[in-house]
Amino acid sequence: MKNLRVLYLLPLFIIIACLSGQNNVLADTGDDNIYSISSTIKSEWNSILGDKDKNMESGKKIVYDIYKNKYSDNGYSILTKDFGKGSQQYLRFRGWAVLFGYTPHTSSNQETYIAAIKTAGNSGIGTEKIYKAVQRSLNATEDLEYNNQGAGVWNECPSGATNRWNTDCNMRYDDVSFESYLPLKELFPSDDAYSKWKLYIVKHVNSRIVYTPLIIPLEFDNKHFNNGLISLSSGANTDKLEMNAEGVLRRSFPRENASSVIDELGSNRYFELGKLYKRIDADETETAIWYGVISPHDSNKKKWAATSYWSFMGDQAILAYDPPPIAAFNYSPTKIYNDTTVAFDNTSSDPGKQALTYQWAYQKPGSSTWVNFSTAKEPSKVLNIKGTWKIRLTVKDTSGLTDSVIKSPIVLNRAPKANFSFSPSTIYNDTTVKFTNSSSDIDGDSLTYQWAYQQPGSTTWTNFSTAEHPTRVLNVKGTWAIRLTVTDEDGATASATKNPVVINRAPSVSISYTPSNPYEGDTINVCAKPTDPDKDLLALKIFIKKDGGTEQVVLNKTKVQTDTQQCYSFTSGVGRYDLRTIVNDGTDEAEAATWVYSKPLIINGHVKHTPLWQQKHTDLRHTLDQFYSGEKFLLDADTSPYPAEYVKSTLKGTQSNGTAITNIISLAKNTDILYKGELFEQKFLEYPTNLKVGPAVFEFEVKYKNGIIKKDNATINIIDDSFGAFQLHRKY
């Protein structure tokens, strides 16, 4: 029931405090001496631990806010003041605090303190400090009054009342605002030492002293101090608030009328006890802060409740000093030339143990321009100009603090050197050889170059270029000498000689023939194509061997130019031809071979019955070559798949009257290898013009496009005329 009663901590109707002008007043109401600490406070400040979750009858329910934006022009800041210990810098922040339900608060019966315990630093861990806050005149009476009826205090508690619920009576909470001043030089005496203090807020009302860890549910910007940064933070969960009471209305705006909330939300109108909500807004219009959170109960809309219902989920506030980093480095070696790789040994440090980033820059000798060259922790660099350099290292920590250091290495003087390389390493007489000059002069002098050559077998040097990186075709086979001479500005010289070798490349040859699929009678054209990368004149031979017989030289030429095709033609018979060629450049020889098969041309003739006549002969058990004079002859010719000028069949037979007949029938192309035709003569039906019983011959003939003629005979046997097939009698 006590949790349920907390919902009445705020009035249903709140009179806007700005009508009285209280937010515009920051008058002092007490002693400004922050060091005025009684021995009782010093010894007993941490005897009674309170927090916002305690009940109002316990005397331990300490409720407070730290402002972020209220009086922001001169609120959270570092400023110089004198509290009796001389003018020095203090960190100031503002807020308000009460012992809620304990007793009425007046300008004379209360004090607020900030206590600090050192948790990190070079020394003094565990040290305690406590400072009195300057009391200000903001009142929280109406912010905390139950069932506010307007001006004045409704159902005010009697004088001397203590530990009362505000549903029983309302107490006054006057002059409860404060300004806290923390002396930075006292807390952070060393400019280069990282240290931290955890903070507590202490409330002293009458004779009761209650403390609680200070949690700040907001984020302050860091402040600069002694080249470092001051931070005041409650860590990562400052935006998490826990609902610590039942029956707290989810208002759409701060101090919304309760009846308006009930009309909008009905019975589902309260925040959930113990649930975490995310803070997204704060209203500092009055003394007590109202917090706006994301409400999952309302499709993640923003809903509001007063500070006394929220427990802050951030960590205990930490006041920390982060000193600037210290930039430092060494370099090696100490003797440096302009091609020496100088290694930089980074000895920078950060007293606050923060991660550092690095920026390295240089000034060349004689220059005033800084050039960035690395962000690595320990880079290396070739200082390629003689003289005095400047190397600068700038370090930055995660808070943005920086430090720089500069050192001046000196690059010493040396004499020039001549050197070069050439590519490619494999060279022919048409290869463009590139000469890469790697000469150097550590003094920084400019160099001039003279290139010369000796041809194979010669002792004479011939200059050919003054370029730094020339190219040249070494067009004679053998060993060359190439010399580079370099000269500096003072006339000193150095030379280097190298011996590229120009080598021979073997020739190659290919052999081919046409047509690709020859038949007997075709003209086969055999061609050899030699190639010589050196463009030497070549000797070439072509060989042919038929069906495994003796190989014959059919072509023999000398002084053939590269890429010039040489051919030999012959008329093929049937069979395999092995083809081979050899080419020689005087040093090396190459060979190529292939073979070709010349296929025969054919014709096969067939004489067939029509389907009806075939059935008749089958019924009579005749053989396939038995025919009747007067039936239709079906003619088929099988050929090679080769273009033909004509395909024909000639019937050679004798009539019954003794007359010899010759009938020529042209056959039509049916496929690439099949020709068809037919023969029917009316006169073969009756005597005496019918075919004589006995053999007759169909001669098949094809003439191919290459002139080859092929023939085939198909012999048939005439067994009767067509009347006899049906046993009919003829009348003569």
Side-chain angles (χ1 to χ4, degrees):
M1 288 299 295
K2 291 183 178 180
N3 278 339
L4 184 60
R5 300 177 69 181
V6 178
L7 75 94
Y8 302 113
L9 294 178
L10 289 182
L12 295 176
F13 306 107
I14 294 180
I15 305 300
I16 304 302
C18 63
L19 295 176
S20 65
Q22 72 171 20
N23 285 345
N24 299 320
V25 178
L26 279 176
D28 292 347
T29 61
D31 189 354
D32 277 349
N33 186 2
I34 68 171
Y35 302 105
S36 178
I37 314 294
S38 70
S39 60
T40 300
I41 294 296
K42 289 180 180 178
S43 62
E44 298 181 13
W45 71 267
N46 58 351
S47 297
I48 301 176
L49 175 64
D51 60 47
K52 190 182 290 187
D53 294 334
K54 296 290 191 293
N55 66 60
M56 296 178 65
E57 297 174 328
S58 67
K60 300 179 181 179
K61 189 175 183 67
I62 183 168
V63 178
Y64 66 88
D65 278 318
I66 302 299
Y67 297 128
K68 179 177 177 64
N69 298 313
K70 200 175 184 72
Y71 316 116
S72 60
D73 288 346
N74 55 1
Y76 177 73
S77 59
I78 294 177
L79 43 78
T80 301
K81 291 187 68 77
D82 188 346
F83 289 104
K85 291 190 176 182
S87 180
Q88 58 181 293
Q89 289 184 300
Y90 293 83
L91 178 70
R92 178 179 65 181
F93 57 87
R94 289 168 165 159
W96 69 280
V98 300
L99 290 181
F100 196 14
Y102 172 62
T103 196
H105 292 47
T106 69
S107 62
S108 60
N109 76 338
Q110 61 169 317
E111 296 162 342
T112 305
Y113 299 87
I114 300 297
I117 297 179
K118 192 171 186 179
T119 60
N122 292 343
S123 61
I125 304 301
T127 301
E128 294 184 6
K129 300 283 187 179
I130 186 166
Y131 303 99
K132 183 179 180 182
V134 177
Q135 188 170 336
R136 296 300 188 189
S137 61
L138 294 183
N139 303 329
T141 302
E142 293 195 22
D143 285 348
L144 303 177
E145 183 180 349
Y146 165 69
N147 200 16
N148 188 294
Q149 301 294 315
V153 181
W154 179 82
N155 188 25
E156 186 172 358
C157 293
S159 176
T162 59
N163 296 331
R164 303 285 292 273
W165 287 93
N166 61 350
T167 54
D168 296 335
C169 62
N170 286 306
M171 294 182 179
R172 288 184 180 274
Y173 300 98
D174 295 338
D175 304 315
V176 295
S177 60
F178 65 84
E179 291 183 5
S180 174
Y181 292 88
L182 302 181
L184 296 178
K185 194 64 179 176
E186 181 176 329
L187 296 172
F188 307 110
S190 177
D191 292 351
D192 59 358
Y194 177 77
S195 55
K196 296 194 302 186
W197 298 78
K198 60 182 179 181
L199 302 184
Y200 301 83
I201 186 168
V202 181
K203 194 67 184 180
H204 180 206
V205 183
N206 289 341
S207 62
R208 189 167 185 80
I209 306 170
V210 179
Y211 82 102
T212 192
L214 178 64
I215 299 175
I216 304 176
L218 48 86
E219 296 177 0
F220 286 132
D221 294 333
N222 294 337
K223 300 293 184 182
H224 286 276
F225 173 70
N226 279 356
N227 298 319
L229 290 178
I230 294 292
S231 63
L232 177 59
S233 173
S234 282
N237 295 315
T238 58
D239 62 346
K240 300 295 188 301
L241 304 177
E242 181 183 14
M243 177 52 55
N244 60 24
E246 295 178 329
V248 180
L249 295 174
R250 303 195 306 272
R251 288 175 161 87
S252 296
F253 53 87
R255 304 171 186 86
E256 180 185 9
N257 187 287
S259 61
S260 173
V261 178
I262 295 171
D263 289 344
E264 177 189 359
L265 301 180
S267 61
N268 181 22
R269 58 181 178 265
Y270 302 117
F271 285 103
E272 181 181 338
L273 175 65
K275 184 176 179 62
L276 289 180
Y277 295 84
K278 183 177 181 180
R279 170 186 55 79
I280 57 174
D281 204 352
D283 179 85
E284 299 180 356
T285 304
E286 306 302 334
T287 301
I289 298 176
W290 282 65
Y291 291 101
V293 300
I294 294 174
S295 173
H297 321 290
D298 304 284
S299 301
N300 291 330
K301 293 181 180 178
K302 181 165 62 176
K303 294 295 181 179
W304 295 80
T307 182
S308 44
Y309 303 133
W310 296 116
S311 295
F312 304 147
M313 291 293 102
D315 301 324
Q316 183 172 4
I318 296 295
L319 181 65
Y321 172 68
D322 180 20
I326 301 170
F329 72 93
N330 299 310
Y331 61 86
S332 61
T334 56
K335 181 177 284 188
I336 303 172
Y337 304 108
N338 67 354
D339 58 357
T340 300
T341 298
V342 181
F344 298 98
D345 178 23
N346 192 335
T347 58
S348 302
S349 61
D350 187 81
K353 309 298 183 184
Q354 294 190 37
L356 297 178
T357 58
Y358 311 98
Q359 181 62 70
W360 297 83
Y362 63 78
Q363 274 187 2
K364 289 183 178 181
S367 173
S368 61
T369 301
W370 286 103
V371 179
N372 293 334
F373 71 91
S374 181
T375 57
K377 180 180 179 182
E378 295 183 326
S380 60
K381 184 173 180 59
V382 175
L383 308 182
N384 57 355
I385 298 175
K386 70 175 183 178
T388 301
W389 290 66
K390 289 184 178 180
I391 303 296
R392 181 180 68 194
L393 168 61
T394 300
V395 296
K396 180 188 290 187
D397 66 16
T398 55
S399 299
L401 299 174
T402 64
D403 188 37
S404 295
V405 64
I406 297 174
K407 294 196 175 184
S408 302
I410 299 174
V411 177
L412 303 175
N413 185 36
R414 285 186 300 177
K417 289 184 178 180
N419 195 20
F420 71 95
S421 61
F422 59 86
S423 62
S425 56
T426 301
I427 303 173
Y428 307 110
N429 63 358
D430 59 355
T431 301
T432 297
V433 181
K434 179 180 179 181
F435 299 98
T436 301
N437 192 335
S438 56
S439 302
S440 61
D441 186 90
I442 306 305
D443 296 337
D445 294 339
S446 60
L447 298 175
T448 59
Y449 312 99
Q450 182 61 67
W451 298 83
Y453 65 80
Q454 278 184 354
Q455 286 191 354
S458 172
T459 59
T460 300
W461 286 103
T462 302
N463 293 334
F464 70 91
S465 180
T466 58
E468 185 176 4
H469 305 291
T471 60
R472 183 171 181 81
V473 175
L474 308 181
N475 57 355
V476 178
K477 298 176 186 178
T479 300
W480 291 64
I482 303 295
R483 183 181 66 196
L484 166 62
T485 301
V486 296
T487 305
D488 66 15
E489 295 173 357
D490 296 327
T493 64
S495 295
T497 301
K498 298 197 176 183
N499 300 102
V501 178
V502 178
I503 62 177
N504 182 64
R505 286 172 291 184
S508 62
V509 65
S510 63
I511 188 168
S512 61
Y513 59 87
T514 56
S516 60
N517 190 25
Y519 285 82
E520 62 173 305
D522 281 350
T523 297
I524 297 179
N525 190 38
V526 182
C527 292
K529 185 176 181 179
T531 299
D532 187 80
D534 297 333
K535 294 183 173 53
D536 294 331
L537 292 177
L538 306 167
L540 181 142
K541 293 180 181 181
I542 293 178
F543 303 85
I544 296 179
K545 180 170 62 175
K546 174 72 164 62
D547 290 332
T550 302
E551 187 178 64
Q552 302 292 326
V553 177
V554 297
L555 186 69
N556 186 359
K557 290 192 174 183
T558 60
K559 298 184 179 179
V560 175
Q561 293 185 341
T562 184
D563 297 322
T564 302
Q565 185 166 270
Q566 307 296 316
C567 297
Y568 172 78
S569 298
F570 65 95
T571 300
S572 68
V574 176
R576 171 177 170 138
Y577 292 87
D578 290 288
L579 312 175
R580 187 169 69 95
T581 182
I582 293 177
V583 65
N584 190 297
D585 67 355
T587 301
D588 294 300
E589 186 173 85
E591 177 179 342
T594 187
W595 63 274
V596 59
Y597 183 77
S598 179
K599 294 183 286 296
L601 295 172
I602 64 167
I603 186 169
N604 293 312
H606 309 279
V607 183
K608 298 179 180 179
H609 301 284
T610 65
L612 289 176
W613 278 108
Q614 180 62 56
Q615 185 61 50
K616 183 67 176 176
H617 287 288
T618 300
D619 292 343
L620 296 175
R621 297 184 178 181
H622 292 164
T623 60
L624 294 177
D625 63 341
Q626 291 178 317
F627 286 81
Y628 289 102
S629 177
E631 67 173 281
K632 182 185 291 186
F633 301 105
L634 300 183
L635 307 176
D636 286 355
D638 298 323
T639 66
S640 297
Y642 194 94
E645 290 187 7
Y646 65 80
V647 179
K648 64 182 180 179
S649 181
T650 303
L651 172 60
K652 297 181 178 180
T654 305
Q655 294 174 305
S656 293
N657 59 9
T659 302
I661 59 171
T662 302
N663 279 27
I664 299 175
I665 306 97
S666 294
L667 305 186
K669 184 176 182 179
N670 185 262
T671 68
D672 284 346
I673 59 173
L674 177 63
Y675 288 77
K676 287 179 174 291
E678 59 184 41
L679 174 62
F680 174 75
E681 289 284 355
Q682 186 72 28
K683 63 183 179 181
F684 292 163
L685 291 173
E686 296 186 30
Y687 181 85
T689 58
N690 58 340
L691 292 173
K692 182 180 178 181
V693 173
V697 176
F698 281 91
E699 181 183 79
F700 291 85
E701 180 179 314
V702 59
K703 183 177 182 182
Y704 290 102
K705 289 289 188 180
N706 63 3
I708 297 296
I709 296 175
K710 293 290 183 175
K711 295 182 179 182
D712 186 36
N713 290 334
T715 302
I716 63 173
N717 285 303
I718 303 298
I719 58 176
D720 202 348
D721 58 32
S722 55
F723 289 104
F726 296 96
Q727 297 181 348
L728 298 178
H729 296 282
R730 295 184 297 273
K731 183 179 180 181
Y732 301 107

